[in-house]
Amino acid sequence: MVSRHTGQEKLGRVIFIAASAAVGGFLFGYDSSVINGAVVGIQNHFQVGSVEIGFVVAVALLGSVVGAWFGGGFADRWGRTRTMQIAAIVFAVSSIGQMLPFAVWDLTMWRALAGVGIGMASVLGPAYIAEVAPPAYRGRLGSFQQLAIVLGIAMSQLVNYVIARLAGGDVNNHLWGLQAWQWMLGACVVPALAYLWLASVIPESPRYLVMAGEPRRAKEVLAQVEGDEGDLDERVREIQHVLRTEHRPTIKDLRGRALGLLPIVWIGIILSVFQQFVGINVIFYYSSVLWQSVGINQADSLLISFSSSIINIVGTFIAIALVDRIGRKPLLLLGSAGMAVSLATAAWAFSFARPIEGTMALPNPQGAIALIAANLFVLFFALSWGVVVWVLLGEMFPNRIRAAALGVAAAAQWLANWVITVTFPAMSEWNLSLTYAMYAAFAVLSFLFVTRWIKETKGRRLEEMG
């Protein structure tokens, strides 16, 4: 007998399930930003230059490409929740390794492994949430992925600031037998273990269960997330109808005439690339170094980074409130326009940086303008591209290719993230102002791309996509 739930119980259960799956996003945000506080410590401890430190920071993203590429296939073979558990274990082990490196190559290896776990989680979260969420709430629940990312960023910035203060304001100072930056990286094990536990208690995706030939269990999950508002047998038959003539999606299923891939897959890839090419993760990977490079001390730069994370959270809540009301496309257009203006303003302000007493500094009012513009950029990104891209990637592809297509799009996102991350240290040393002008140009191009190619998906069932 399938148990029935009231509307309030159903919504509460769905929120818990979606939030649990989105903890993978929290791991991404936490690991992405925790390195921000540790960069200077790693650089001083191992005596490496800007090119080397750029690779150490960015190598996790190459691992994420691998994890995202194979994550969708693993999810279709072993199930969504089982693959989440594997991702959590991989991330926990790598966190301990990052905390206790022998040399810079050792640290690089552990960061690459952490990236594999994060890449897997980045595919699993949006796909799983889209598959368990009722259409009326899918946009808001899909937003949990980005909300978890920004919460992870903020939490890591706060932990970094506290650890740095406990260590006397210098991340190379010793604290409880290790340098402060090592504790920053080791703290990642806590959210990894939380993700492992949550992935063990949430139900499997009903669509995966139908695909795996377990319709009874699929009805039980549907009863938890959709209640008695519809005929559960009919919902299972609807999913079976979509899947009946289909096989497990692979990369071969994504082939098309448009440069080797289906047009919808290219749209997902380009959407993912634009999300990263505006330079958002430069703020979260290098903001402490960025602000130090224009005259702000180490401890205060970490505090500024934390304030940017709070703005990121505020913007994400705005997106969650609006994504199912005004739709995906209007939010993307608003975000692209706002990012273009704020990035161009920051580029102008950074052009006034001058050496003062041996260190770079921004004069007034350009210093204040740069700080305001950078935070406005974070706000516009958070209320648009940060949330909406993850929502779209979870719902825009047809059922028969969703997992595989999402894996490819997410892999492209990680690769684009890697390109921006690994090049920023050297580019900022060359010309910080022109670097931000380039990000502004990509924001303009993203506006044109959305106008031409993105279709609205608000309120549509997943079975209607494609």
Side-chain angles (χ1 to χ4, degrees), residues 87-99 110 113-114 189 192-193:
I89 292 170
V90 169
F91 190 79
V93 170
S94 66
S95 299
I96 300 300
Q98 290 183 75
M99 184 182 184
W110 289 117
L113 184 62
V189 73
L193 293 177

Side-chain angles (χ1 to χ4, degrees), residues 18-19 36 43 62 70 82 87 113 117 126 142 195 208 230 278 291 295 304 398 409:
N36 185 13
Q43 201 163 10
L62 291 180
F70 291 103
R82 180 64 58 84
L113 184 62
Y195 186 45
Y208 170 77
V278 295
W291 297 119
I304 291 173

